[in-house]
Amino acid sequence: MKNNTVTPALALLVLDVALGVACVLLPPVVMGFVGLLREVFGVLVLPFSFLFGLAGWSSDLSSLSSMHDGLVPVTTTHPLYAIMAAGLLGVGGVCSVLACNAPEGAKLERAIAPVLTALAIVMAGWDPGLIVIPAFILQILCFWYPTLSFSFRRP
């Protein structure tokens, strides 16, 4: 039997998974742009730094490099980990939605969704993983409430 109702918990789960994917993918993208900006400014300032070096002044891009070095999260060292973690989060979210649409069936999707989310938390690191904890809890609650409808009245 197919369930066509959308519960607030299911909407929260989808929103939390989407936010988790954004928080996992955004730092490597931003740090890539900052690294590119640092390289471009390094090339543009190179002739002037050479002339300032000849004059005895030391000129470098310390402010931009300190910003880049201070903002480096764990996932920017391996952007592939962030992409794989975002993929796992997305597939886990899709499995959760499929499991909620078929309350009597979809036992495999119901079991795989929290496992994929837990693997994504491990791959992304603890800081971005904290954002996905509510979705992880809702995926575990999906074992007891397959449609994520927490009302106790009988239809």
Side-chain angles (χ1 to χ4, degrees):
M1 184 170 153
K2 189 172 180 176
N3 182 18
N4 290 327
T5 61
V6 176
T7 62
L10 182 61
L12 177 69
L13 185 131
V14 170
L15 181 69
D16 193 34
V17 167
L19 182 68
V21 167
C23 287
V24 166
L25 286 181
L26 198 60
V29 170
V30 169
M31 294 315 296
F33 284 134
V34 168
L36 181 65
L37 185 68
R38 185 178 71 178
E39 296 299 323
V40 167
F41 279 134
V43 170
L44 291 175
V45 174
L46 186 62
F48 300 108
S49 65
F50 176 71
L51 291 174
F52 289 148
L54 287 177
W57 296 352
S58 65
S59 170
D60 60 338
L61 297 174
S62 61
S63 61
L64 193 58
S65 88
S66 67
M67 181 180 78
H68 184 268
D69 295 339
L71 294 177
V72 176
V74 176
T75 55
T76 59
T77 56
H78 301 287
L80 187 61
Y81 285 160
I83 293 170
M84 291 187 323
L88 287 173
L89 280 174
V91 171
V94 168
C95 286
S96 295
V97 170
L98 290 176
C100 288
N101 282 335
E104 287 84 22
K107 296 191 186 315
L108 181 66
E109 286 89 354
R110 195 170 290 123
I112 286 178
V115 172
L116 292 176
T117 303
L119 282 174
I121 290 171
V122 169
M123 289 184 80
W126 184 247
D127 295 335
L130 285 175
I131 295 169
V132 192
I133 294 293
F136 181 70
I137 292 170
L138 285 172
Q139 288 170 344
I140 290 176
L141 284 175
C142 195
F143 287 119
W144 292 282
Y145 302 100
T147 61
L148 288 177
S149 176
F150 299 116
S151 64
F152 295 106
R153 56 190 161 115
R154 301 280 176 181

